[in-house]
Every structure is written in structure tokens, then in C-alpha cells.
Amino acid sequence: MPDRDCSGHDWRRMMYKAPVDEIAFTLRYVTGIGDVLGRGRYSDFGDELVSAILEEAGRFASERIAALGDIGDRQGARLVDGEVRTPDGWKETYRAWAEGGWNALAAPEAYGGQGLPHQLLVATLEMWNGGSMAFAIGPTLTIGAIEALEAHAASEIREKYLPKLVSGEWTGSMNLTEPGAGSDLSDMKTRAERRPDGTYRIFGQKIFITYGEHDLTENIIHLVLARLPDAPPGSKGISLFLVPKFLVNDDGSLGARNDLHCHALEHKLGIHASPTCTMIYGDGRFGSEKGAVGYLVGEENRGLACMFTMMNNARLAVGMQGVAVAEAATQKALAYARERRQGRVPGWAGPGMSPIVEHPDVARMLLTMKALTAGARAITYACAHAVDMARIETDENRRFWQERASLLTPVAKSFATDVGVEVTSLGVQVHGGMGYIEETGAARLFRDARIAPIYEGTNGIQAIDLVTRKLPLSDGVPIRALISELAEVAAKVPAEQRFGATAARIEAAIAALEAATTWLLDAQANGRTAEALAGATVYQRQLGLTLTGIYLAKAGLAETADGGRAALARFFAENLLPETAALGDSIVHGAGSLAAARSLLAGD
């Protein structure tokens, strides 16, 4: 197909460019990376290093990774004779990325990592995903595996596997889901058998395993959940095992092929270049003795707790996918709207038709995209800031930040990925008919974005977690402390023209959020859990929108020159933030109508 439409627009030029300045501003002035630099484990790191890392990461993402997006979407991952082949250029780009030390950015220094703040890791994850979501999800899983093994594995396992995972020479994967066990793992069938030498043999099938097989590295380290023969029933009887694709000798060299393989690849709506594998363990394909050799991570029957370390890491990383794909869609839509000419807006004095960016409805969509993207970015970075603070603080201060991170994680994952879908959908709309055509790339971003609210715990599960586990933490102290901080920011917003009615709108949103929070806590305290759950997803959005309003206002306050941040905060506050009042009403009064209408869903 031609690269241009009848108007002469060159869609190929509209490639993602990492928003380094916006990322740096958010880190410094909105979420506070300066709070951790020069302190504790981050005592050797300063602002100059932050700038250097962001600039170099932005260059690599814009020049190397972004070039993979369309190629990966067209070619996809392919299964050839039981081996997965990635698209053209992916292997070379991955190797250059790993050699650049990016996989080791926040990894422990004891195993070759750089030990940098989690906020910097999250910022670079945004850039990698902005270039190609299908590329970046592989390293994301490796980073999570490193964290899980560092926290729970025996020293001999850490010494043998972590250095090459940290360097990126090997990658990691997460094996939870089975055909009959998805979000609820209590019916897991994959089994493990003890061997006299202290190892285990793993038998079973796992599905939806991202980067379970590929050609980017010489070895893949699988973290696999399985059940021992004498394990208690349900999720309390699950253990975690490290199962390498190739066994590793004592000197670190690779040994025999382990008894595991990729049986099939899924054909997906998006992220085509990311291999989503059906993995078979222990069918004897690569040797006479059946059973994939595995090594226990943590304690028997306590594997789910170990895996949650990796899952919590992955949930924040998936939130970053939502931010990244929203940013890419916004860039593409804005570039198109500035060039595409159609109709004449009232008062247009230029030659011919006006650029569609001048039309009020298109401007509204674009500003909505920019505001939601900026808000989602700030929420995810704030969650990473809490993780960093918990690592350098002590005693009660550490507990405060641990609970803040726990509170923000489900919001960061869910709100940001919902934003990814909403913003990429608007991106297609801004392009009009050309957005529905694959040649522009707008449709690919929409397709890629759709998985993020589903995997690593659906957004509905995140809402359940938020309302039933995170709100009641320490009798509601963490959520009330957060609301109090939001009110402090709102009180600083001046009643002047550039902010318009921002202060009043934010104060109203905070009041609605506080009322909904009180109602949800009271409902659970009095045994009305079903009523609370009916409003959980709604509350999740209400909190995300309120946080967005606050963070946009904070950015406007921090800007010394008029760069438009106050105007964006005002647009959001006056056009989108009023939704929080309606959401609050739905939380408090919606459960009854939901229960009454359930009969409409019954089968024959």
C-alpha cells in the first residue's frame, strides 16, 4: 500500500519520540525523585546521572526500539520446528539493549546491577514500551524474575542464575496460568515430584506464557508454579520452582536441554511480536527420563507468596505499558491533526481548509489524550517513588511508604492501562477513516493497548484488591493520609485566570472521593462486602481521576514559565474531573440496581 493518502501525508514520519523532558519534569517536580537521590542505598546518585540516563534511554528508544514496532506487528513471532523466531532486527536490538546495561539498571549491585532508583527503571520502561510494547514486555518479566529470586531463592540459586539474568544474557518468564486455572489458581494441575538429590521434576501445561520461548538469548529461566503430591488443597498448596530451558553446570556453562518446550503460539489481537506460548513440562521430548528439572524457590507450599513479588513488580510495569502506548498514540494523533486539513473552522483566516487540530471537537480529544496520559504517568511514577522511599526509610516511615506503594499499585496498574485503551481509541478517532487503516499505525497502538487491562491481574481484580485489601490497611490510615495530601496540594492552587476553576473542581473531587472512601470502609466494616464490591471498579476510576487532577495542578504550580501545564490542569479540572461526582453517586447508590438487574443475566 502507498505510504501517503490523497492529501500527501507521510504516515511513516510519525514515529514515537521518547518524551524525555516531560518524563524528567514529572520525576523532579511532580513525584519527587529528589527525595531519594543522595540518601541510603541511593547515596551515590545525583540529578546529573538522572539526566544522562534519561537522555540516553530516550535516544535508544526513539532510534532503535521504535523502528521495531511496525516490523514486529507485520511479521509477528513464529514457531518453526518447535523453536520461536522473533521478527527481523529484534535479536540485534535486544543484544544492543542488554549490552548497554539497561536490564541491570535497578538490579542488585551484588549480581552486576547498578542499583538505581525504581523511579528511573519505571521511566525507562515507559520509553521501551513507547517504542514497542511487544519488545519491552520480555525484559519486564526478566526484571520481575530477578526481584523474586533475590528476595526468595537460596544463595546457591542466586549465585548461579542472577548474574546472567541481570546482564540480560538470559531472560526470565512467569508460568502461572493453565487451561483451568487463570485468575484463580486454586485448581492448578501442574505437579512437582521430589527427587533424592534435592531437585524436583515438573509435569504439566502452562498457557499464555509471555516470552516462554524465543531466540533472543541462549537460555530462558522459567519460574513455574506447581503442586506437590502431599500439598494442602487450594492456593495454600502451591510451590514455586526455577526451571531453566537448558540446565546450568556448576561452572556456569550450559548443559543438557531440559524437558520443556513451546507447543504452540497464540494468535492475538495485538503485540504480535511478543511470543505468547503454550508450554509443556515433562513429556520426555528431550530425554529418556520424563520430567523437567526444577529447583525450589522459597519454601514448599508457599510459592504464591514468592510469585507475588514478581507479580507486584509486573503490575506496575504493565501500568507503564498503558502510559507508554497512550503517549505514542497522542504523539501520532497530534502530528496527524496538525497536518490534516479538512473544513474551515469559524474565524479561520488561513488559506484553504484549516488543520483539523483547529476544530473544537478534535482539540478536545487531543487535550483529553494529553491530560490522561500525563495523569497516568504521574500516578505510576508516584507508586515507584513510594517503592524507593520504603527502601531507604526505617521503622514507621518505612511502613508508611510500604503501605503507600501497596495502595497505589492496583491504581497504577488499572487506571493507567484503562487510559491506554481510552487514549489509543481516541487516537484512532482523531485520524478518522485513516485511523481504521493499518497503514497509519494508530490501529496497532489500539490493538496493543487492549491486553494491558487483562493480564497481570485483570483490572476488575485490581479493583477488588484496592477496595477489600488496600483501603482497610491499618484501619484506613494510608488512604486517609493520601487524601489529606491531595487536599494540601489543592489548597495551593490559586484562584487566577490561568488555573480558572481548577481549585474548586479539585476540592469538589476530593470531597466526593472522601465520601466514597468512608462509605466503602463502613460497608465492609458492617458486613456489606457485596455492596462495596459493586462499586469497586467505579471507585478505582474515581481515585485515578482525582489523582490526575491533583498531579496536573502540581505540575502547573511547579512550572516557572508558562509552558501550558496550568492550562492543561484547568482543561482537565473543568472538563473531565466533574465525572468524579457522578462516580461517587454510583458507588454509594449503585449496588441496589445492580443486584435487582442480575436476573437479566440468568440463562434459560
Side-chain angles (χ1 to χ4, degrees), residues 488-502:
E488 290 175 6
V489 175
K492 297 176 182 178
V493 179
E496 59 183 52
Q497 184 174 0
R498 67 190 184 115
F499 280 101
T502 301

Side-chain angles (χ1 to χ4, degrees), residues 167-235:
S167 70
E169 293 174 76
W170 299 346
T171 59
S173 82
M174 180 166 55
N175 289 241
L176 288 79
T177 307
E178 300 178 6
S183 299
D184 184 353
L185 298 171
S186 60
D187 196 34
M188 181 176 293
K189 296 292 191 291
T190 299
R191 72 184 195 277
E193 296 179 358
R194 301 179 184 90
R195 287 294 188 267
D197 63 358
T199 64
Y200 297 76
R201 295 297 182 271
I202 312 301
F203 303 86
Q205 176 185 1
K206 298 289 185 178
I207 63 172
F208 302 156
I209 308 307
T210 302
Y211 277 87
E213 167 61 29
H214 58 79
D215 58 359
L216 302 181
T217 58
E218 62 181 4
N219 206 5
I220 304 170
I221 310 305
H222 303 283
L223 294 186
V224 184
L225 290 178
R227 190 182 300 279
L228 289 161
D230 53 357
S235 60

Side-chain angles (χ1 to χ4, degrees), residues 20 29 51 68 110 117 150 177 187 200 214 219 250 283 294 337 340 362 385 400 436-437 510 531 547 559 584:
V20 174
Y29 302 111
S51 296
L68 302 178
E150 183 196 13
T177 307
D187 196 34
Y200 297 76
H214 58 79
N219 206 5
D250 290 339
D283 68 350
R340 175 66 169 166
V362 175
H385 172 264
F400 172 89
Y436 201 68
I437 295 172
I510 293 172
E531 292 182 34
L547 287 169
E559 193 168 52

Side-chain angles (χ1 to χ4, degrees), residues 508-520 531 534-543 545-546 577-591:
I510 293 172
L513 175 66
E514 189 166 23
T517 301
T518 299
W519 187 88
L520 288 168
E531 292 182 34
T537 293
V538 184
Y539 179 80
Q540 197 159 247
R541 180 167 177 83
Q542 184 193 42
L543 178 54
L545 289 173
T546 305
L577 198 54
E579 181 185 340
T580 56
L583 293 171
D585 185 74
S586 176
I587 292 164
V588 174
H589 299 108

